[in-house]
Amino acid sequence: MSDAPAAVPRSPAVVAVLAFAGIVVSLMQTLVIPIVPELPKLLDAPASDTAWAVTATLLAAAVATPVVGRLGDMFGKRRMLLISGVMLIVGSVVCALADSLLPMIIGRALQGLASGVIPLGISIMRDELPAERLASATALMSASLGIGGALGLPAAALIADNFSWHVLFWTSAALGAVAIGLVTVFVPESKVRTGGRFDLVGALGMAAGLVCLLLAISKGADWGWGSGTTIGLFAAAVVILPAWGFFELRTDQPLVDLRTTARRQVLVTNLASIAVGFAMFAMSLVIPQLLQLPARTGYGLGKSMLAAGLVMAPSGLVMMATAPISAAVSKARGPKVTLMTGALIVAAGYGLNIVLMSEVWHFVLVSCVIGAGIGFTYGSMPALIMGAVPASETAAANSLNTLMRSIGTSSASAVAGVILAQLTTDFGGYALPSENGFKAVLAVGAGAALLAFAVASFIPRQRPAGGAVPVAEGPAESAEVTAKS
């Protein structure tokens, strides 16, 4: 591991560069949202097919994130971060040059392969930063997923409204190139590596299981939840994932060390992460729709996509501002308290939204409250994970945690879609989601946040670690982490 004196002078630049890279990658997730309704016309394809421009990114990210994390632990985190950046640039260029569906799907899948940047960045921080800077830096890096998403929506809407849609992807490619250049100059390669042989069978098994699961979740509403395709995919996931786990437990160098992930602190944190991911995404599904629905509905505000994005943007700034506060709470009380506090703040934000949804400022307030809660929860998760795993497994463990959040967001999209499709109102001959439908989704979002609070209460008691990453107090885990770190 790099010694502290060499890392201290570089630490501010390392943090800034890695956080910027994380924001660039998360921008990619929201980049396509303003043009989704126009894709059938732009690509001359049915809407059911153009939806793959979103689905392909989701599936590629789910598969790539844990694989890239494991490769980072084995062969170098900075190296894999740079490779991920290259994938983002190549995918963006392919999309920028695309005029038909197939290259767009390929480009979006390549962009999804870059999603491992955030867990890799967190792991590099653990290896390179002095202890007193680690908590706030990892909190900011973890929150960059939400920051980029919130800031990216208005930026993407502005570009889409004023330029060719291809400019969206040229912008993404340019930002990716800047990120790669900055990483090359300012971020050192970590000396903490595991080496060994890559678990190709485990990677293929995990990919198959995740693709079946997430494809069923994300496309179930389109195909029909009772259709043979959807049920078949769920059944395949139920068969493949346990078989994969059985194999991983019996291989010498597994893709995912399930014994480590079964430790109480890691397992419970990952379960809470699914609920937090669900709760976070519910806001992104409801607020823009309510802002853009016609005012004649009685509950829509009739705003543009750009206006909706600008309403959401302050939440990203709040997440950024919350990162050091999250780190301070974790330092004083432990990251478990930070996670539980954030979950309660998110639940309170959804509760506010149920009663405040008639003015623009209501949505600004609500998104900021929920953003503050997300900043707390996302800031605490890396500390909880890194406090229970050896330094040599940091990237893989953080990548798995990121995957758990993604499963939560995918589930939120599916559940919200079902609710809004069932609770509709007639508007000029068209069925639109009703006000009660939106309130139901908000209530489910609040419930998910409260579930995260309840699950997090089972995380082992923490002891503040004076600025370092807190370590679980279980004697076996604590001894092993201390010995290996």
Side-chain angles (χ1 to χ4, degrees):
M1 185 180 295
S2 300
D3 50 25
V8 170
R10 305 184 64 173
S11 61
V14 169
V15 173
V17 168
L18 291 175
F20 174 75
I23 290 172
V24 168
V25 169
S26 59
L27 282 170
M28 173 268 299
Q29 305 284 356
T30 55
L31 193 69
V32 77
I33 290 178
I35 62 171
V36 164
E38 304 297 322
L39 283 178
K41 180 177 67 175
L42 296 173
L43 300 176
D44 191 24
S48 59
D49 291 341
T50 58
W52 284 97
V54 176
T55 306
T57 308
L58 166 70
L59 298 178
V63 173
T65 300
V67 170
V68 168
R70 176 61 179 152
L71 290 172
D73 283 334
M74 293 174 65
F75 303 117
K77 303 176 183 73
R78 176 178 177 269
R79 177 180 299 173
M80 294 311 302
L81 194 152
L82 290 171
I83 291 174
S84 297
V86 170
M87 291 295 101
L88 174 63
I89 295 172
V90 173
S92 299
V93 171
V94 170
C95 289
L97 296 173
D99 284 312
S100 59
L101 181 61
L102 183 59
M104 174 64 82
I105 292 174
I106 293 172
R108 289 290 291 165
L110 288 170
Q111 286 186 316
L113 296 179
S115 297
V117 163
I118 292 175
L120 286 170
I122 292 170
S123 305
I124 291 172
M125 288 175 175
R126 181 184 191 181
D127 296 344
E128 300 300 327
L129 298 186
E132 64 272 12
R133 286 190 55 85
L134 183 58
S136 59
T138 54
L140 176 62
M141 188 71 195
S142 183
S144 67
L145 180 63
I147 295 169
L151 299 180
L153 187 58
L158 182 64
I159 293 172
D161 284 347
N162 293 280
F163 303 96
S164 163
W165 64 274
H166 295 283
V167 176
L168 288 169
F169 297 101
W170 287 121
T171 303
S172 175
L175 290 172
V178 171
I180 282 184
L182 292 174
V183 169
T184 302
V185 173
F186 291 104
V187 178
E189 180 59 270
S190 169
K191 296 181 177 63
V192 181
R193 300 186 189 180
T194 61
R197 175 180 55 82
F198 181 69
D199 178 16
L200 180 60
V201 175
L204 293 174
M206 184 201 66
L210 286 176
V211 166
C212 289
L213 176 63
L214 293 175
L215 198 54
I217 291 173
S218 61
K219 301 293 286 183
D222 294 333
W223 293 337
W225 293 106
S227 71
T229 303
T230 303
I231 294 173
L233 286 169
F234 275 126
V238 168
V239 172
I240 293 172
L241 289 174
W244 168 78
F246 183 83
F247 174 82
E248 291 294 278
L249 288 171
R250 281 157 181 76
T251 189
D252 292 335
Q253 298 177 23
L255 176 73
V256 177
D257 188 343
L258 294 180
R259 291 181 176 84
T260 297
T261 59
R263 292 175 183 170
R264 182 175 168 188
Q265 181 162 317
V266 179
L267 177 62
V268 177
T269 300
N270 282 334
L271 292 175
S273 298
I274 297 174
V276 169
F278 188 109
M280 182 196 81
F281 204 61
M283 170 183 73
S284 302
L285 293 167
V286 170
I287 293 180
Q289 287 195 65
L290 283 170
L291 286 165
Q292 293 177 82
L293 281 174
R296 287 178 296 158
T297 60
Y299 52 90
L301 298 186
K303 303 299 180 183
S304 66
M305 170 67 80
L306 176 58
L310 290 172
V311 168
M312 298 288 288
S315 67
L317 301 177
V318 170
M319 291 181 204
M320 192 180 300
T322 305
I325 302 173
S326 167
V329 174
S330 294
K331 180 178 179 180
R333 303 295 301 275
K336 172 183 176 178
V337 172
T338 309
L339 176 55
M340 295 176 71
T341 301
L344 288 180
I345 294 173
V346 171
Y350 281 117
L352 274 176
N353 204 177
I354 291 173
V355 297
L356 297 177
M357 53 190 303
S358 59
E359 303 286 345
V360 170
W361 71 266
H362 290 171
F363 293 102
V364 175
L365 172 64
V366 166
S367 66
C368 286
V369 171
I370 296 174
I374 295 298
F376 268 74
T377 57
Y378 275 25
S380 64
M381 290 173 191
L384 286 164
I385 295 297
M386 292 189 294
V389 303
S392 59
E393 298 178 17
T394 301
N398 278 318
S399 296
L400 185 63
N401 181 252
T402 301
L403 174 62
M404 294 300 106
R405 302 186 218 175
S406 297
I407 290 174
T409 59
S410 301
S411 302
S413 179
V415 171
V418 170
I419 293 173
L420 296 179
Q422 295 298 317
L423 299 176
T424 61
T425 184
D426 181 75
F427 182 74
Y430 294 94
L432 293 179
S434 68
E435 183 177 15
N436 286 336
F438 287 114
K439 288 184 176 181
V441 174
L442 293 172
V444 171
L450 293 175
L451 177 62
F453 172 85
V455 171
S457 68
F458 291 96
I459 294 172
R461 184 171 57 88
Q462 304 287 304
R463 52 181 172 83
V469 176
V471 179
E473 287 204 37
E477 289 90 339
S478 182
E480 183 173 355
V481 171
T482 302
K484 292 187 179 182
S485 300

